[in-house]
Amino acid sequence: MPVASDDTSAKFAEYAHPEVLVSTDWLAANLHTPGLVIVESDEDVLLYETGHIPNAVKIDWHTDLNDAVTRDYVDGEGFAALLSSKGINRDDTVVIYGDKSNWWAAYALWVFKLFGHEDVRLLDGGRDLWVAEGRELTKDKKAVTASNYPVVERDDSAIRAFRDDVLAHFGNPLIDVRSAEEYSGERTHMPAYPDEGALRGGHIPSAKSVPWAKAAAADQTFKTRSELESVYLAGGAGLKAGDDVIAYCRIGERSSHTWFVLNYLIGLPGVRNYDGSWTEWGSLVRVPITKGEEPGVAPNPIR
Amino acid sequence: MSAHLKVIDELIADFQALSINDRLMLLLEFSENLPALPARYAEHPDLFERVEECQSPIFLFVEVDSLGAAHLFFTAPAEAPTTRGFASILHEALDGVAATDLLDVDDDFPSRLGLSEAVSPLRMNGMRAMLRRIKRQVREKLATT
């Protein structure tokens, strides 16, 4: 049974899909609502253990959502086993929150959507806002009764892009959500300082630079719809209704945040997240790269 | 075998003796026990070097005293417990050892703690990077004394 959405916020009501966000007030009032599971998903794998929202379970991007061997997400059986171990049912409402402006929470939400989990929401403002407001944290682990989550085939076709999809996409909008230094390729690495990322610097030709943080307010909540539209639509990045868009960053976490904004808050349904992102593209042999601050010209698409 | 290597072997044995989840809990304990900066360094952020390879901000500084022993200082926010845990393990293993012995420590000993499965191999890069930077600072300090 889906839990009623948070309809208390005038800001949410403006969004294309207001039902995908909940406020800290709403969550505080729904900590024990049946059919609601709260999930914390952080960059820091130990942060949940230092104290978390009461009744929340932890799902870690690296150790839970990624396949342990192949660079890919878990398969249908792995996802079913994970969610069953967290006591999540297929028809439960899931509210995800995390550190770092909800990057990893948005990433987890995106993976839930690859498996078609219907009702997944983000806590607006994430962990930082909950903590800043002085709300309750606990170290007590939720007593979980394992559920029987069904095995659902992962569907990568609608919201996930692979490198060949990017090569075929040229001529359509690409959004690079990394920092300006990463985009230009000017970020240097001092001698003996290893770079965990890619073998080349720069960006995918024709990609526009819109750092993810342009979607976030100072308190880590999402900006209002009209603010977001001025960043991404006419007068900003120039996206428009009907566009096919691919967003990318370094490994796909910051671009999940942007995917969430474009898809649910502004309402552009044709957005895919390229999770291979720069750690793949910047090391691929013979793919085109543009350096500098300008987007550069889109090569001919390769289909 | 010199004393500091024994400490490292003991740390590795401690972690390896635990289940994956308990290794994470031990890392949490380490993070809670990372020593605070002494007052003489708390006011000097300019001395510290940021470890770029860590996703969370952590800064470190190495001092070599007149007897040739290395002293390690770290600062990282409470919101970065994994990074603090890595720093705390390195502090436990390396603080106070002779600088020349510190340079002999295996660059890859963090990989032998058995934490990769608990925190992911990618996150372990941050700890190895800290160790490399500590050694580089020690080399620089030895070269100027």
Side-chain angles (χ1 to χ4, degrees), chain A residues 72-84:
Chain A
D72 199 0
Y73 304 103
V74 291
D75 61 10
E77 286 183 0
F79 190 72
L82 171 67
L83 267 66
S84 296

Side-chain angles (χ1 to χ4, degrees), chain A residues 40-46 58-74 82 99 103-104 107-108 111 196 250-251 253, chain B residues 24 53 55 82 86 115-125:
Chain A
E40 176 160 343
S41 206
D42 295 318
E43 177 173 296
D44 194 301
V45 66
L46 275 175
K58 166 185 169 180
I59 291 183
D60 182 70
W61 180 77
H62 288 280
T63 59
D64 290 327
L65 294 177
N66 267 287
D67 185 88
V69 180
T70 309
R71 183 175 174 186
D72 199 0
Y73 304 103
V74 291
L82 171 67
D99 61 354
W103 289 355
W104 305 89
Y107 209 165
V111 173
E196 55 151 2
R250 191 177 61 86
I251 55 170
E253 86 288 22
Chain B
L24 206 57
E53 294 85 349
Q55 291 168 315
T82 302
F86 291 160
L115 275 167
S116 294
E117 291 159 279
V119 305
S120 88
L122 202 63
R123 287 178 172 124
M124 289 306 295
N125 288 344

Side-chain angles (χ1 to χ4, degrees), chain B residues 65-80:
Chain B
D65 68 20
S66 55
L67 298 172
H71 300 280
L72 278 51
F73 303 94
F74 299 92
T75 173
E79 301 76 49

Side-chain angles (χ1 to χ4, degrees), chain A residues 200-273:
Chain A
R200 290 288 185 271
H203 56 269
I204 301 177
S206 78
K208 292 202 173 149
S209 171
V210 187
W212 70 274
K214 293 198 171 180
D219 64 357
Q220 315 297 340
T221 57
F222 291 103
K223 286 183 178 171
T224 65
R225 182 167 184 175
S226 67
E227 289 170 331
L228 293 173
E229 288 184 349
S230 67
V231 170
Y232 295 102
L233 306 186
L239 301 178
K240 53 189 188 307
D243 275 350
D244 283 326
V245 183
I246 292 178
Y248 71 94
C249 58
R250 191 177 61 86
I251 55 170
E253 86 288 22
R254 289 171 286 180
S255 46
S256 297
H257 189 271
T258 298
W259 166 82
F260 181 87
V261 167
L262 295 176
N263 188 45
Y264 292 112
L265 305 189
I266 295 181
L268 294 175
V271 183
R272 286 176 289 169
N273 182 25

Side-chain angles (χ1 to χ4, degrees), chain A residues 272-296:
Chain A
R272 286 176 289 169
N273 182 25
Y274 170 39
D275 57 275
S277 274
W278 198 256
T279 51
E280 177 175 68
W281 196 270
S283 293
L284 275 175
V285 176
R286 296 184 77 182
V287 294
I289 287 174
T290 301
K291 286 187 88 88
E293 291 168 15
E294 294 302 321

